[in-house]
Amino acid sequence: MSETDLKAHAEKLRGLHSGPMLVLPNAWDAASAVIVAEAGFPVVATASAAISAMLGHPDGEGAPWQEMFAAAGRIARAVPVPVTVDAEAGYGLAPGELVDRLLEIGAAGCNLEDTDHRASGLADADAHAEWLAEVRAAATERGVPLVVNARVDAFLPASGIPEPDRVAETVRRGRLYLEAGADCVYPIGVRERRDLATLVAELPGPVNGNTGDRLDLAALRELGVARVSYGPRFYRAALAGLKSAVEELR
């Protein structure tokens, strides 16, 4: 993909955060990405958990980044729409190298989470914000407005954040990340409507949500969520369908 086309894809992806709500049924390989694009979705998002599982590795940066990026690159080449890549926590790459690798595979955007997979907890918020600022600066230097979706993992049990403090900590981190140049904040794991409503109100930028038992698409739209992603949900549903089909053959 030419730099001009990649820049256009990034600008289109950024514009789609202004409404109506951007829905992203995540893909894990070229075939699933084509299905998403041919269904009319304007963007394809990858799911790192699904890709790592497909490659035979555990989630949480358990797969070599080279394999993850190669898979994401095949997705980007398979579809004509912008692709945003779940780059986990950046795989320990320096900001400039991370941006170069993303642009090489044709990514218009990326998810970057604040879990430190080497320390098994959340990264220091200020240090992570500085790292995000360097990612933004590197993308600007290369002339492509890469769309950064900053995932905040405070609601995940592994974060170690007590439940009563998760909303406040997510707001604190999300504001830091937006100030650092992130385009969207992704508070993964939020299940309660009241919590998500507070986050949408308190964060001065677009918010990425997930559907759940208490939060369907209509509820997310009503709350003002800018984008919705599904992670490995469709990958797991596909495997469940395969399991059921092959068991019927026995």
Side-chain angles (χ1 to χ4, degrees), residues 95-197:
E97 184 177 6
L98 174 63
V99 170
D100 286 341
R101 300 293 84 78
L102 287 165
L103 298 183
E104 281 177 1
I105 63 172
C110 61
N111 279 15
L112 294 171
E113 62 203 41
D114 62 0
T115 289
D116 184 338
H117 294 287
R118 291 153 187 81
S120 300
L122 292 184
D124 176 81
D126 290 312
H128 189 68
E130 290 178 10
W131 183 78
L132 288 174
E134 292 177 14
V135 170
R136 169 55 60 215
T140 299
E141 181 181 342
R142 287 147 180 80
V144 178
L146 189 73
V147 178
V148 177
N149 189 31
R151 203 180 91 176
V152 180
D153 290 356
F155 275 82
L156 299 181
S159 72
I161 303 298
E163 189 170 346
D165 300 332
R166 290 174 181 172
V167 170
E169 181 62 12
T170 298
V171 170
R172 184 180 79 88
R173 287 173 173 267
R175 287 177 175 173
L176 284 172
Y177 302 162
L178 289 167
E179 290 171 3
D183 300 283
C184 185
V185 175
Y186 179 11
I188 191 171
V190 179
R191 292 180 172 82
E192 298 296 335
R193 183 186 179 100
R194 63 178 181 275
D195 291 340
L196 189 55

Side-chain angles (χ1 to χ4, degrees), residues 46-65:
T46 73
S48 63
I51 292 177
S52 59
M54 176 194 69
L55 295 172
H57 298 282
D59 189 21
E61 298 195 342
W65 67 264

